[in-house]
Amino acid sequence: ADCSWGAFAGCQGAVEPRQEVCGDGLDQDCNGSDLRRQDQYEPNNECNSCTLLNNPGEDDVERTLRATIDSAADTWDYYCFDAHDGFSVPGFSESIEATLSDIPNGADYDLFLYKTVQDCRDGNSLEFSIEGGNSVDSLQWSEPVGSDDSGRYVIGVRRVFGQSCDLNYTLEVRGLN
């Protein structure tokens, strides 16, 4: 009747800010976003934004890199390289090899190889490896003899589940060698 209220109390069921868990898709510290620590290869989450692994004009690629999938929203990392087809005779075809290792415990990542960026967009892989859990994934693709297999190849690392802001995976790529 006199338009006065009693003392205020804490909100029931309130969620107070707390230490952020990197990459889990939740905003624990209430700042409006999930904490992420992107690696040096980002942004590489789409086929056409793949990270180039060799310098323009450089023949083929031989590279080892360490990268992260740092968020539950980060479902793909793409890398690409320009390959130059060398001399090809029966019994001596060139190949592309890729190995994905050091996948963090509690995560499963898979490995894909595409002939072109368009094949990547269309989901038409030349080769893939989908080992379970954090087992090593590896693939090898050999060129058909007598064909020119020069071009921009794309390697895709797909997150099936799990991620880590702090633990790297290792990707080794060689080809056309």
Side-chain angles (χ1 to χ4, degrees):
D2 62 8
C3 295
S4 63
W5 297 91
F8 286 103
C11 295
Q12 291 183 341
V15 176
E16 297 293 326
R18 62 184 194 272
Q19 181 71 35
E20 188 80 24
V21 176
C22 188
D24 68 353
L26 302 175
D27 178 19
Q28 289 93 355
D29 64 4
C30 302
N31 72 348
S33 64
D34 180 29
L35 175 65
R36 294 183 72 172
R37 283 193 284 280
Q38 296 182 340
D39 61 37
Q40 65 193 13
Y41 306 106
E42 295 290 344
N44 65 342
N45 300 331
E46 296 180 20
C47 298
N48 59 335
S49 64
C50 56
T51 298
L52 189 60
L53 298 179
N54 58 351
N55 296 319
E58 186 176 57
D59 284 343
D60 307 327
V61 69
E62 187 163 339
R63 179 98 182 261
T64 299
L65 57 93
R66 297 186 48 77
T68 61
I69 292 188
D70 72 329
S71 168
D74 190 3
T75 55
W76 284 93
D77 280 348
Y78 290 104
Y79 306 92
C80 50
F81 62 95
D82 294 325
H84 305 281
D85 198 6
F87 185 67
S88 178
V89 296
F92 297 98
S93 65
E94 294 176 302
S95 65
I96 296 172
E97 300 170 5
T99 303
L100 177 63
S101 60
D102 300 325
I103 299 166
N105 286 330
D108 181 12
Y109 305 162
D110 294 332
L111 185 61
F112 295 81
L113 172 66
Y114 304 94
K115 172 79 165 119
T116 65
V117 170
Q118 186 61 48
D119 285 339
C120 178
R121 284 190 209 119
D122 294 341
N124 297 326
S125 62
L126 287 172
E127 196 64 54
F128 60 89
S129 176
I130 53 173
E131 297 295 325
N134 66 337
S135 298
V136 172
D137 283 273
S138 62
L139 59 82
Q140 180 175 5
W141 175 80
S142 295
E143 69 176 337
V145 175
S147 64
D148 182 1
D149 292 302
S150 298
R152 178 159 288 180
Y153 289 81
V154 178
I155 300 281
V157 175
R158 178 181 68 181
R159 182 186 74 81
V160 179
F161 60 81
Q163 82 284 332
S164 176
C165 291
D166 302 313
L167 299 175
N168 293 315
Y169 63 80
T170 301
L171 178 63
E172 298 174 73
V173 181
R174 289 182 31 144
L176 284 164
N177 293 315

